[in-house]
Amino acid sequence: MKHYRNYVNGKWVESPRTFEDISPVDGSQVAIVHEASRELVDEAVKAGHQALAGEWGRTNASQRVAVLRRIADEMERRQDDFLAAEMADTGKPHAMASTIDVPRGIANFRMFADILATAPLDSHRLDLPDGAYALNYAARKPLGVVGVISPWNLPLLLMTWKVAPALACGNAVVVKPSEDTPGSATLLAEVMEAAGVPPGVFNLVHGFGPDSAGEFISRHPDISAITFTGESRTGTTIMRAAAEGVKPVSFELGGKNAAIIFADCDFKKMLDTMMRALFLNSGQVCLCSERVYVERPLYERFCEALVARIKAMKIDWPNDPATQMGPLISAKHRDKVLGYFELARHEGATFLAGGRVPYFGDVRDEGAWVEPTVITGLGDDARSVREEIFGPICHVSPFDTEQEVIARANDTRYGLAATIWTSNLGRAHRVSEAMRVGISWVNTWFLRDLRTPFGGAGLSGIGREGGLHSLNFYSELTNVCIRIDEEARDV
């Protein structure tokens, strides 16, 4: 049986308290995970500060660029190991993990290395009335020790999305992966060691949230900043803890994202993409569309075509290259999603597809599987339409006018993403800019330029990451102002 240990100050640390890492495919045990104590988290934070006071704190940008590239090279060398770990923990299909999760994890280090190597800083000259002038320039410095709390849905991708820029800016990190997905985080610690990252720069602690590693990081007085991706409710708890020390936070939280489909769209391209927007990673992507609004002339055709596509989906073993959808992350999360299926029935929804647990007749029946599900017939005030479910389910409803659908799509406490489908260029600009979200896609979905700002509004988060936006969050900027007097003249 594998053991996933903590990695603190360059050493692998076991714990007397352990928990099981369970496969969502068949309920079998993947590994034994060592839960970090409060004392071990404290040791990790101290190790980070020691690294900043030592060798790591003396590195310049060029040296850190080289470190990030070594990390990416070592990850690439071990990409098969990362692929196996991601699939074992999440049950996601090979087709997804091999083309999205692992490549993006590697790309995050290379991309932030490139951005750091070319990152500009402010420089201004201010002419003064007496003939002198002042030269102002910005100096980028690390925040200190950053707490990184990452989610289970895209474990490697979203963890490296935070770790890479934090290290690029010269910080040390204390990373807590989800208790459901400890595998790839442990592999990343091995990569850090192999790539020659100094002890204390990257620290990994396993555990849970309340009264465990997550809370110990959030409340630690010597953590300099916290970055978190996960549920909005958990983000609220972390924010309260961070407020005690007035620490900067960056949160990417939940979503109840809208897809707006106009009758003049490219129907085949839209349908192909919407299958991904609804069911990628079994709907467990914060950017997935749970609310689908279809212009009335296209509504019936869309529903029929969507149901036909769902019936043809291959829901099977993750290792099968043809598998299109795997299980949910855990039995606990499956029960939550099934609870929303029952709520939708109680609210009067019509189920066009799904709504049940599939039967396989083998060990997969011990896993966390549910069917891809489409519901209709609910009002915009129904809980199933307003609350994030985070599973393979969407509610489809018709609309008649542009103004109507903008108002309905924006009628939410969330504000993460939207996808708009139309061949009308003016409408595309109007509707996408009218969305109260962090990102609006037009005639596409999940297409990301990693240099652009990413984040949400409302319950979907605080702050923006990506490109220079990440560097600015993980840095303390100091303005240096120098007065330069006019040269003295001979009398």
Side-chain angles (χ1 to χ4, degrees):
M1 182 59 61
K2 292 180 181 177
H3 282 253
Y4 291 147
R5 298 170 177 83
N6 303 285
Y7 183 72
V8 174
N9 202 20
K11 298 176 182 177
W12 294 97
V13 183
E14 295 187 352
S15 170
R17 294 183 62 177
T18 62
F19 58 94
E20 295 180 345
D21 179 19
I22 300 297
S23 166
V25 175
D26 57 11
S28 62
Q29 185 174 344
V30 174
I32 295 170
V33 188
H34 292 254
E35 182 181 358
S37 64
R38 186 186 300 271
E39 292 74 21
L40 187 59
V41 171
D42 187 58
E43 185 180 332
V45 176
K46 289 178 180 176
H49 284 289
Q50 289 169 0
L52 291 168
E55 174 188 355
W56 183 249
R58 294 189 292 271
T59 58
N60 58 36
S62 297
Q63 291 169 323
R64 294 194 298 275
V65 164
V67 170
L68 263 62
R69 289 179 175 153
R70 288 203 307 271
I71 293 169
D73 291 344
E74 181 64 15
M75 289 180 71
E76 192 166 60
R77 188 183 72 80
R78 298 194 61 184
Q79 61 183 329
D80 289 343
D81 297 331
F82 278 106
L83 180 60
E86 287 282 283
M87 292 176 64
D89 277 355
T90 65
K92 65 182 58 177
H94 181 278
M96 178 183 175
S98 62
T99 58
I100 297 177
D101 296 77
V102 176
R104 262 290 302 275
I106 298 169
N108 284 337
F109 282 98
R110 290 199 171 125
M111 187 270 297
F112 279 110
D114 291 343
I115 288 174
L116 181 64
T118 57
L121 284 167
D122 286 345
S123 177
H124 304 279
R125 172 178 168 140
L126 176 66
D127 291 315
L128 302 174
D130 61 359
Y133 66 93
L135 181 64
N136 290 268
Y137 65 90
R140 189 185 300 281
K141 297 179 290 186
L143 293 173
V145 179
V146 177
V148 177
I149 303 175
S150 57
W152 47 257
N153 60 327
L154 302 167
L156 182 66
L157 189 161
L158 291 175
M159 178 174 56
T160 56
W161 175 245
K162 299 172 183 300
V163 170
L167 297 188
C169 293
N171 300 282
V173 295
V174 178
V175 178
K176 191 207 87 69
S178 168
E179 61 272 18
D180 291 315
T181 53
S184 54
T186 306
L187 277 177
L188 186 62
E190 294 178 7
V191 163
M192 296 288 172
E193 191 172 42
V197 176
V201 174
F202 179 92
N203 302 280
L204 172 68
V205 291
H206 293 295
F208 303 87
D211 197 32
S212 190
E215 181 177 337
F216 303 154
I217 291 172
S218 302
R219 295 190 178 280
H220 200 289
D222 296 325
I223 284 284
S224 309
I226 300 173
T227 177
F228 167 74
T229 297
E231 286 187 328
S232 301
R233 183 170 50 187
T234 306
T236 300
T237 302
I238 294 173
M239 193 171 183
R240 286 196 191 101
E244 291 293 327
V246 196
K247 297 169 185 173
V249 296
S250 179
F251 290 163
E252 197 266 284
L253 307 176
K256 191 71 175 178
N257 307 306
I260 301 175
I261 301 169
F262 289 93
D264 64 354
C265 70
D266 180 327
F267 189 83
K268 184 181 183 306
K269 180 181 177 183
M270 176 275 297
L271 191 61
D272 289 344
T273 306
M274 285 305 301
M275 286 296 292
R276 294 180 64 242
L278 299 174
F279 304 120
L280 183 71
N281 199 31
S282 302
Q284 299 170 125
V285 177
C286 56
L287 301 164
C288 279
S289 304
E290 290 192 11
R291 297 180 295 143
V292 182
Y293 302 97
V294 185
E295 195 169 13
R296 197 173 297 277
L298 197 65
Y299 177 75
E300 294 295 338
R301 181 187 176 193
F302 173 79
C303 290
E304 291 174 4
L306 182 61
V307 170
R309 287 287 190 95
I310 289 172
K311 289 180 178 178
M313 283 183 74
K314 186 175 178 58
I315 303 170
D316 212 332
W317 294 100
N319 284 317
D320 186 335
T323 293
Q324 295 170 282
M325 197 179 97
L328 298 178
I329 188 62
S330 66
K332 179 182 178 182
H333 188 58
R334 177 202 59 197
D335 291 344
K336 173 195 169 184
V337 172
L338 291 176
Y340 272 102
F341 288 179
E342 288 306 307
L343 174 63
R345 289 187 178 96
H346 178 74
E347 292 179 313
T350 297
F351 280 70
L352 300 182
R356 296 178 297 272
V357 174
Y359 174 73
F360 297 100
D362 54 37
V363 293
R364 285 173 292 176
D365 292 332
E366 302 299 318
W369 302 77
V370 299
E371 294 176 339
T373 299
V374 179
I375 61 175
T376 64
L378 296 179
D380 290 348
D381 59 346
R383 285 180 56 198
S384 303
V385 178
R386 301 196 69 81
E387 298 175 12
E388 182 184 40
I389 300 173
F390 214 61
I393 179 174
C394 69
H395 180 265
V396 185
S397 60
F399 72 89
D400 294 300
T401 69
E402 183 178 315
Q403 293 76 17
E404 171 205 343
V405 76
I406 288 172
R408 293 174 66 191
N410 281 334
D411 184 18
T412 175
R413 296 180 68 193
Y414 294 98
L416 187 56
T419 177
I420 297 102
W421 291 87
T422 180
S423 60
N424 183 310
L425 182 60
R427 176 189 287 147
H429 283 287
R430 286 193 305 270
V431 178
S432 59
E433 291 184 15
M435 293 295 97
R436 291 197 293 266
V437 296
I439 183 167
S440 284
W441 282 289
V442 177
N443 298 332
T444 188
W445 179 79
F446 209 54
L447 179 61
R448 289 277 291 116
D449 183 329
L450 303 184
R451 297 168 296 181
T452 60
F454 182 80
L459 288 183
S460 290
I462 295 175
R464 294 293 182 269
E465 295 186 11
L468 286 174
H469 305 278
S470 287
L471 297 192
N472 288 338
F473 172 74
Y474 292 105
S475 299
E476 198 74 73
L477 293 176
T478 296
N479 182 71
V480 178
C481 179
I482 302 174
R483 178 188 169 96
I484 301 173
D485 290 316
E486 186 180 23
E487 184 179 1
R489 296 187 178 90
D490 294 333
V491 177

